[in-house]
Amino acid sequence: MAASFQHIETDVLVVGSGAAGMMAARAARDHGARVLIVDKSLLGRGGATVLAQMTVAVALGDAEPDDPTIHAADTVEGSRGMADPAIVAAIAERAPEVILEVERYGVHWARSHDGKHSQVVAPGHSRRRCVYVDVLNTGGALSAGLRKTIWRDPGIRHMSNVAITGIVVQDGVAVGAVGFRLQDLGPVSLGAAAVILATGGLTEIYARSSASANMTGDGYVLAVEAGARLRDMEMVQFFPIANLYPPLVGLDPIMWDPFRYKLGGRLLNGRHEEFMDSYAGEHAGQYITPRDTAAYAIFSEVRAGRGSPHGGAFLDFRMLAEDRLREAFGPVIDILARSGVDLTRDTVEVAPMAHFMLGGVEVDESMMTTVPGLWAVGELIAGMHGANRLSGNAITEALVSGRIAGEGAAHGGSGHPSAAAFDGPRRDEWERLQRFWHPREVAHDEVSIAALRKRLKRLMWEKAGPFRTEEQLAEALTELGQLEHSVTEAAMAREDSFPLSLLDKVDMRHMVLVSRAVLSSALLRRESRGAHVRLDYPGSEAPVSIIGCSTRGDGQWDVSMSSPLAEDVRR
Amino acid sequence: MNQSSPTFRLRVTRGGPGRGSRVEEYVIPWVEGMSLLEALFWIRENLDPSLAVRFSCRSANACKECSAHVDGTPAYLCVTRAQPGSTVRIEPLPRRRWLRDVAVVLNAEARS
């Protein structure tokens, strides 16, 4: 196929366009750099930010006295000993500034009657600290505001539907990226003095997942293959009370949480008994249990045979008057009514759902990876949340890490090679993709990668979800190997207009690789800590060990544990 | 397929510029709460993976990528529920550059 190629040069290249990527682009531009931002989906619409309905933790001190050092201390405390205090401090410190900055882009944080920012408490935060945009519109408003501010700026170029498949590294320095255009299939190379990865998490590897479908772990693979390191890949946060039944459309599955917070909704087991008090000392009307403990409590009830009919817990608002419910839920009441749910009469079923990747790319407090010229931001990084993320800290991390990296990248790049230097990498990557997509010429896709993807998602949910054992993790690794073989062997039909099947195969390769990193790391951590629950090792070990992933350059990933439990496995 | 299990039909525009346009009809097993987007996923998983459609957030009506014409009216596929026994027509949005099947060029900034 004689697909037309494209080469673009810029100072700072941003891959991914959620809050972290768009803020990185904005910050790099503010510091004088020419910026190019690309996304495999539509710019500013894919990813997790647009779905974020909840709150943002920031020590503004409007509701009560607060300080970034207290925010940082709460975050480290909540991380079960695994956050990197330097990263947490760097992010908490600049959170107030960045939250006020996005107000200028049209993000209207809710205000209380005295005109100050309305700040609410959330589990794990010792102060009323969390700002929000009404009604359930924090992520939507942020996406729209950031999109506008980067769109209007002639110094920021943007491209939707460009999938990045490799970082170009020359003499140990990241100098750009290669990939392909999806709308009219063709190879792309992008030269840059600095590259910022902002591709989000990997929750798409789980059958029950609250994030967008394009969160297939791309950035972890790009970073490792460029020579960077990952850590804490066993740490996946499961959101405790995501919707389970009845099925709802038009609502974020985790939307019950803010209402439970506002109204004190009760969690009941299958026998209609309250149970949170026996796990976390939480009583009716309260909302104090951190996410890891709440998810553990619900699934422990299910395992003990006390689950709701579909395998979760009941969420109950029936003790509240109808006008109180309508006031709190607003238009959501009508969406629920269309699904046949009347909260004055009905309970709903909720259960944990994969929500956020806690581990990720190892960075320092300037968000630079171990590869010069390569930064990572947002959900993709490790270090902010450790083994448990506090409510409200995700958007804080996205915005502040984006700003820090954008500023650093604008000043820290060292120039990039000439356009001619990208001819080779672009051609090599295109040829690799051709062999990967078309091992044989076929008229129709040999298998449905979408169907294999569904199998992988079920496998990871069943064997590497909220509860883990050595036996199940090992089984999952074996089955993952078989799935990987099916993916690698599959020959795809040629298609040059929006070839979704070809993107599926690229995404699926990433999902297989990051699933293996999750499984291998989870096997190695023979303890329970925060989001990582090993039924065969229920206690926590001290001192804390760190599990890292990197590649030896031959495509194999090493997963190893740092002392004190030094151990090395190669898979 | 079991006679007693409920189904519904989708009539979906296939093809693209330079390769013509045709309507394919699919019979899909209905599942409680199923959206039209999930029905297209079922086609991609079980009948024809080459079917092109945009999607991202999947069910939250947040990303606005899965817009299409449903029985002649613009709609988001992820929030439109399938009804057992029904027949639904799905077409790409008109007045947008047609890419393939249900996918068109969506100029995101125009709607910001």
Side-chain angles (χ1 to χ4, degrees), chain A residues 99-449:
Chain A
I99 289 304
L100 299 179
E101 176 191 344
V102 297
E103 229 162 26
R104 298 202 305 272
Y105 310 149
V107 179
H108 302 297
W109 303 114
R111 301 270 179 165
S112 48
H113 298 302
D114 58 7
K116 291 180 170 176
H117 293 92
S118 180
Q119 294 192 275
V120 296
V121 76
H125 292 287
S126 64
R127 299 287 189 276
R128 282 185 285 151
R129 178 177 291 148
C130 297
V131 298
Y132 56 94
V133 179
D134 274 323
V135 173
L136 293 186
N137 195 34
T138 298
L142 261 175
S143 288
L146 286 167
R147 224 158 44 222
K148 264 181 225 156
T149 178
I150 64 171
W151 227 280
R152 285 178 185 156
D153 195 318
I156 302 175
R157 288 187 70 171
H158 37 80
M159 296 171 78
S160 291
N161 289 140
V162 170
I164 298 301
T165 54
I167 302 300
V168 180
V169 179
Q170 286 185 353
D171 303 323
V173 179
V175 294
V178 286
F180 61 95
R181 299 187 309 270
L182 188 61
Q183 286 194 175
D184 56 330
L185 184 68
V188 170
S189 56
L190 310 168
V195 179
I196 301 175
L197 291 174
T199 51
L202 54 63
T203 41
E204 180 64 8
I205 64 175
Y206 286 99
R208 272 178 64 76
S209 154
S210 66
S212 295
N214 45 24
M215 308 280 278
T216 51
D218 309 340
Y220 307 102
V221 178
L222 293 171
V224 166
E225 292 183 346
R229 285 177 53 83
L230 310 179
R231 56 168 278 195
D232 307 344
M233 292 300 282
E234 70 280 17
M235 294 296 178
V236 181
Q237 180 171 62
F238 295 91
F239 193 90
I241 60 163
N243 191 69
L244 177 63
Y245 189 87
L248 300 174
V249 297
L251 291 171
D252 178 349
I254 70 161
M255 67 90 193
W256 292 113
D257 200 62
F259 299 118
R260 180 170 174 242
Y261 163 68
K262 269 191 201 171
L263 298 167
R266 299 187 306 164
L267 279 176
L268 308 174
N269 67 16
R271 299 175 183 168
H272 291 269
E273 302 159 340
E274 294 204 42
F275 60 93
M276 292 300 285
D277 55 333
S278 59
Y279 295 90
E282 181 178 285
H283 297 285
Q286 289 183 321
Y287 174 79
I288 56 168
T289 311
R291 288 175 174 176
D292 54 354
T293 312
Y296 178 78
I298 291 170
F299 267 176
S300 295
E301 290 296 301
V302 174
R303 272 174 51 84
R306 297 189 296 268
S308 63
H310 295 84
F314 292 111
L315 179 60
D316 183 13
F317 293 101
R318 290 174 301 179
M319 60 289 187
L320 295 160
E322 187 173 356
D323 56 342
R324 178 107 169 78
L325 286 171
R326 178 159 283 282
E327 182 197 11
F329 278 83
V332 175
I333 280 278
D334 301 316
I335 300 177
L336 291 170
R338 286 200 290 277
S339 295
V341 176
D342 174 355
L343 293 176
T344 62
R345 200 188 59 209
D346 305 321
T347 56
V348 294
E349 290 180 59
V350 295
M353 182 180 258
H355 182 55
F356 188 90
M357 183 55 179
L358 300 162
V361 179
E362 218 175 80
V363 292
D364 61 16
E365 59 267 36
S366 70
M367 306 303 145
M368 205 195 294
T369 71
T370 46
V371 178
L374 185 64
W375 281 257
V377 294
E379 186 173 345
L380 182 63
I381 67 167
M384 175 68 178
H385 317 292
N388 179 51
R389 175 167 74 73
L390 300 186
S391 178
N393 267 349
I395 296 282
T396 312
E397 172 187 52
L399 292 174
V400 180
S401 66
R403 176 143 280 282
I404 291 172
E407 292 174 0
H411 299 293
S414 52
H416 57 81
S418 65
F422 288 88
D423 290 347
R426 185 180 60 240
R427 186 189 58 236
D428 292 349
E429 182 65 2
W430 188 240
E431 287 173 358
R432 186 191 72 79
L433 285 168
Q434 294 299 317
R435 290 191 301 274
F436 175 69
W437 286 328
H438 312 297
R440 289 169 299 288
E441 290 298 326
V442 291
H444 303 284
D445 295 352
E446 280 185 327
V447 296
S448 166
I449 301 289

Side-chain angles (χ1 to χ4, degrees), chain A residues 183 204 211 247 448 497 504, chain B residues 44 54 56 58 81 100:
Chain A
Q183 286 194 175
E204 180 64 8
S448 166
S497 179
D504 281 345
Chain B
R44 296 198 72 233
R54 286 182 185 275
S56 177
R58 249 179 324 209
R81 281 201 155 144
R100 191 164 64 83

Side-chain angles (χ1 to χ4, degrees), chain A residues 41-43 45-47 50-51 53 144 147-148 151 158 160-161 183-184 204 209-214 245-253 310 338-340 445 447-451 453-454 457 495-501 504, chain B residues 15-17 19 31-35 38 41-65 76-81 97-100 103-112:
Chain A
S41 296
L42 296 179
L43 203 100
R45 290 184 180 272
V50 76
L51 272 160
Q53 296 187 334
R147 224 158 44 222
K148 264 181 225 156
W151 227 280
H158 37 80
S160 291
N161 289 140
Q183 286 194 175
D184 56 330
E204 180 64 8
S209 154
S210 66
S212 295
N214 45 24
Y245 189 87
L248 300 174
V249 297
L251 291 171
D252 178 349
H310 295 84
R338 286 200 290 277
S339 295
D445 295 352
V447 296
S448 166
I449 301 289
R453 176 167 169 154
K454 199 168 185 179
K457 288 161 66 77
E495 171 59 62
D496 56 14
S497 179
F498 207 74
L500 197 51
S501 300
D504 281 345
Chain B
R19 64 174 97 183
V31 179
E32 184 183 2
M34 194 179 205
S35 70
E38 287 167 329
F41 289 171
W42 189 88
I43 295 170
R44 296 198 72 233
E45 287 158 12
N46 295 283
L47 300 176
D48 185 357
S50 74
L51 175 64
V53 56
R54 286 182 185 275
F55 58 91
S56 177
C57 81
R58 249 179 324 209
S59 72
N61 194 17
C63 74
K64 317 290 187 191
E65 290 213 19
Y76 296 115
L77 297 170
C78 78
V79 295
T80 311
R81 281 201 155 144
R97 185 157 75 80
W98 189 26
L99 289 170
R100 191 164 64 83
V104 298
V105 174
L106 280 181
N107 194 6
E109 66 268 42
R111 295 180 298 146
S112 290

